[in-house]
Amino acid sequence: MKLDPVFTVKQNKLFFIESNSPADVSTFNKIEIKWSEVELEDEMYNEEYLAALREQLKALDESGKFAILIPVVDKPLESPEQIELFINAFNHTARRVKDCVSVAGLELPPQIIAKGFSAGSPAADFMETLAIKHAQYVYFVKGTDSIPDNIAVY
């Protein structure tokens, strides 16, 4: 099930597509998701945790609220293999909450954006992988310089 996008990003600011009005990101729920909670062992995912996350997000759907999912890097993220495991874990997370309209998108962790946004970078790979089936998501960073215009800053 693919959802239509609700938001777009213009010059690092978030807008509702339907009305072209600015979205107040400060009103969004910020939900931290520890990598170690999602992926118990390499490519072994915690389906109970993800089901509970989905329930939380469905409750937001019912109340018309939105959330930003915040991946928390709490395991080593240094090698290409570890980066791939991280991306796959959060792609799996996105699959489990794919029908939750409340998910505006995901924050890009500092460890992922440290190498920039160019093609082949961890940040680009993260966004490209999730966009295959979850094109409705936007990506967020906490205030930083030199980021592409299509990423929201908050």
Side-chain angles (χ1 to χ4, degrees):
M1 166 186 215
K2 288 190 178 189
L3 297 176
D4 290 329
V6 175
F7 301 101
T8 189
V9 178
K10 301 174 193 172
Q11 297 179 336
N12 304 121
K13 293 182 176 45
L14 191 68
F15 292 85
F16 286 97
I17 291 173
E18 188 174 302
S19 64
N20 198 32
S21 61
D24 184 0
V25 178
S26 70
T27 66
F28 290 14
N29 288 283
K30 280 58 167 200
I31 301 174
E32 290 190 354
I33 304 171
K34 291 183 180 179
W35 180 13
S36 64
E37 288 284 337
V38 171
E39 186 179 51
L40 303 173
E41 295 178 35
D42 289 359
E43 298 182 16
M44 177 190 274
Y45 304 115
N46 185 343
E47 298 301 339
E48 288 180 22
Y49 175 83
L50 295 172
L53 173 63
R54 184 179 178 280
E55 286 179 24
Q56 181 181 5
L57 294 168
K58 285 309 240 179
L60 291 176
D61 281 359
E62 291 176 17
S63 64
K65 295 181 180 177
F66 294 99
I68 299 171
L69 304 182
I70 303 173
V72 176
V73 178
D74 63 346
K75 300 196 289 188
L77 186 63
E78 297 156 2
S79 71
E81 294 79 18
Q82 292 165 333
I83 292 167
E84 183 177 357
L85 287 170
F86 176 81
I87 292 170
N88 290 344
F90 283 93
N91 191 44
H92 185 81
T93 300
R95 274 197 298 265
R96 292 297 175 254
V97 301
K98 68 182 176 191
D99 64 336
C100 298
V101 177
S102 59
V103 179
L106 291 90
E107 179 181 306
L108 298 171
Q111 298 91 330
I112 289 292
I113 63 173
K115 293 184 180 177
F117 296 91
S118 61
S121 70
D125 289 349
F126 184 90
M127 292 183 290
E128 288 169 11
T129 298
L130 268 68
I132 292 169
K133 294 207 174 185
H134 313 285
Q136 78 275 17
Y137 292 155
V138 296
Y139 297 93
F140 299 85
V141 295
K142 290 189 177 171
T144 186
D145 296 329
S146 303
I147 62 166
D149 286 346
N150 65 336
I151 296 175
V153 174
Y154 74 105

